[in-house]
Amino acid sequence: MKSRFLKAALAVASACTLMACSPEKENNAAQGTAAPATEAAQQTKEENMNKLTLTAEWDKVFPKSDKVEHSKVTFKNHFGIELAADMFVPKDTSLKVNGKFPAIAISGPFGAVKEQSSGLYAQQMAERGFLTIAFDPSFTGESGGEPRYMNSPDINTEDFMASVDFLSTRDNVDPERIGIIGICGWGGMAINAAGIDTRVKATVASTMYDMSRVSANGYFDAANNADARNEARKALMAQRTKDFKNGTYDLAGGVVDPLPDDAPYFVKDYYAYYKTPRGYHKRSLNSNKGWAASAGTSLMNTKLLAYADEIRNPVLIIHGEKAHSRYFGEGAFEKMTGKKANVPAKLDATKNWSKTVGNKELLVIPGASHVDLYDNLEKIPFEKLNEFFKTNLK
């Protein structure tokens, strides 16, 4: 595969090395103003930085459902970053048990915003009886955090845990019936969160990436050697020096645009979602100028899924048969179970393929690509998700 397409794909998926663009800072009230002259003014500035600007109108890439109530909510993680989320509450109160709903927190894909795929998942699951939130991770979308467009396996895992904090303290949520869904890069973050947060009773990773693996090893582990990683580290450190000297953070660029004719199929899939009316959103990193070019530092140096094999609660991993990312899900399944996935080379097109070991399941959707599981209602197995959560959030 040509290097420029690897760069374009990594810009979407891993925010690591070999990337540069023009600096851009999000223009919102969370940025504060010029440095104040007094300690009191400094305190006022810090307080103002915690006030998020939330869009009032419906600006999702999917239509609004008349079966749920929608509202905006905010909550802080343990790093003090205020997160913004869309909350969806079923209108059918008969779905409550003892006056409370089961709940699900959702985030992803990596470089997307809650107005895209995670919001669609949240609304669909709310229609099925779950109180749901779709949140923007730290440093992105309508959530707080400076500098903008950064990521961290630690902070982003904490984002999921903070969403559980929020849900578990709501009067209309049963704190013993909370699950999480991570899409794309947030699939790995979700499994990582389930590895530490015992309050998470069930986890779904849909079309998942292991972001630390792709950042350190390249796509398909093609750069899994010390020399390649050392070159990547050199590029990252050169970028850090440049950013510090300039006082700004260069952006890596989102999905390649215009799209060359010979782009790999999965880059074309990303373009078809992020760069067209199907999925474009003005706050989406992938739809616009991407992550900070130096954002991959911690992903390269920190391994996700370290304790995935110790997760005692159920985990469902879902992938498309044709997804370039499927090997991440297979690797996570093997890590959790100690068993090889052994997905057949060719699947029966009429039914999903599944392998279960204990309470861990790998589900493969025939004919589906990575991006199909972002928004294709004919491919995303929402009834399977409904069954999984209703069984495990009793």
Side-chain angles (χ1 to χ4, degrees):
M1 183 180 300
K2 296 180 180 179
S3 62
R4 74 179 187 278
F5 295 126
L6 281 175
K7 294 178 190 178
L10 284 169
V12 174
S14 67
C16 56
T17 66
L18 309 182
M19 306 172 179
C21 192
S22 59
E24 175 182 81
K25 293 197 73 177
E26 188 165 341
N27 182 22
N28 60 39
Q31 287 182 292
T33 55
T38 67
E39 183 176 345
Q42 177 64 38
Q43 181 178 355
T44 299
K45 177 187 176 185
E46 291 171 355
E47 290 172 352
N48 286 340
M49 289 178 69
N50 289 327
K51 294 179 181 177
L52 304 182
T53 300
L54 303 180
T55 303
E57 69 273 10
W58 183 267
D59 64 345
K60 324 302 181 195
V61 300
F62 52 90
K64 189 174 185 178
S65 170
D66 60 2
K67 298 179 182 178
V68 303
E69 297 286 352
H70 166 261
S71 61
K72 292 285 187 76
V73 297
T74 63
F75 51 92
K76 286 187 179 181
N77 67 19
H78 273 197
F79 294 97
I81 298 170
E82 192 164 8
L83 304 181
D86 284 298
M87 183 166 68
F88 301 86
V89 181
K91 288 183 178 180
D92 185 354
T93 57
S94 69
L95 298 169
K96 291 182 178 180
V97 176
N98 296 324
K100 296 180 183 292
F101 289 109
I104 306 171
I106 307 166
S107 195
F110 196 79
V113 287
K114 63 188 182 303
E115 289 75 19
Q116 296 173 311
S117 183
S118 61
L120 173 66
Y121 273 65
Q123 182 170 266
Q124 286 283 329
M125 296 310 295
E127 289 183 346
R128 291 163 171 80
F130 302 88
L131 185 150
T132 63
I133 58 171
F135 65 88
D136 285 330
S138 296
F139 313 112
T140 66
E142 291 184 313
S143 286
E146 293 284 345
R148 304 303 290 166
Y149 315 134
M150 287 291 179
N151 57 68
S152 159
D154 186 19
I155 295 175
N156 295 140
T157 297
E158 161 60 28
D159 289 342
F160 259 121
M161 297 171 69
S163 73
V164 178
D165 294 340
F166 171 78
L167 290 172
S168 64
T169 55
R170 290 191 59 82
D171 291 341
N172 57 349
V173 168
D174 183 344
E176 296 302 317
R177 294 192 294 153
I178 296 176
I180 58 177
I181 299 174
I183 306 163
C184 186
W186 258 260
M189 303 295 180
I191 293 175
N192 208 50
I196 183 66
D197 196 332
T198 57
R199 300 169 301 173
V200 176
K201 298 303 191 292
T203 301
V204 169
S206 181
T207 198
M208 71 162 282
Y209 268 59
D210 178 340
M211 295 309 306
S212 57
R213 180 175 176 180
V214 72
S215 297
N217 299 349
Y219 270 94
F220 313 111
D221 298 324
N224 185 17
N225 62 79
D227 288 343
R229 276 188 287 274
N230 193 54
E231 290 305 308
R233 291 173 188 131
K234 287 180 180 178
L236 269 174
M237 296 309 108
Q239 183 65 52
R240 287 178 65 103
T241 300
K242 178 184 176 184
D243 289 346
F244 188 85
K245 185 182 297 183
N246 293 339
T248 61
Y249 290 85
D250 283 356
L251 299 184
V255 175
V256 61
D257 188 14
L259 182 70
D261 291 338
D262 59 344
Y265 76 94
F266 66 92
V267 175
K268 292 179 179 178
D269 281 350
Y270 282 136
Y271 185 95
Y273 183 76
Y274 287 110
K275 289 292 190 175
T276 71
R278 170 185 169 193
Y280 176 86
H281 196 276
K282 63 183 179 181
R283 289 191 295 275
S284 170
L285 283 69
N286 294 339
S287 292
N288 297 287
K289 293 186 178 180
W291 292 97
S294 60
T297 305
S298 55
L299 283 170
M300 279 198 70
N301 206 42
T302 305
K303 286 190 176 182
L304 291 166
L305 313 186
Y307 296 103
D309 55 329
E310 297 183 8
I311 299 173
R312 298 189 177 184
N313 290 327
V315 178
L316 171 63
I317 298 173
I318 305 171
H319 268 287
E321 177 188 12
K322 296 181 179 180
H324 68 284
S325 54
R326 201 179 82 193
Y327 73 102
F328 294 121
E330 292 174 6
F333 179 80
E334 292 168 9
K335 169 75 173 175
M336 288 188 290
T337 65
K339 304 292 183 182
K340 288 288 185 182
N342 293 327
V343 180
K346 186 171 180 58
L347 301 184
D348 182 343
T350 65
K351 59 182 180 180
N352 297 335
W353 181 90
S354 173
K355 181 172 183 176
T356 301
V357 178
N359 61 4
K360 309 300 186 291
E361 182 178 0
L362 174 64
L363 182 70
V364 181
I365 312 300
S369 70
H370 177 85
V371 174
D372 278 334
L373 298 190
Y374 284 9
D375 68 339
N376 187 333
L377 297 181
E378 294 183 359
K379 297 291 187 181
I380 303 171
F382 280 117
E383 290 312 313
K384 171 68 175 182
L385 268 64
N386 184 41
E387 175 191 353
F388 173 78
F389 282 115
K390 285 189 173 174
T391 298
N392 295 299
L393 301 182
K394 292 181 178 178

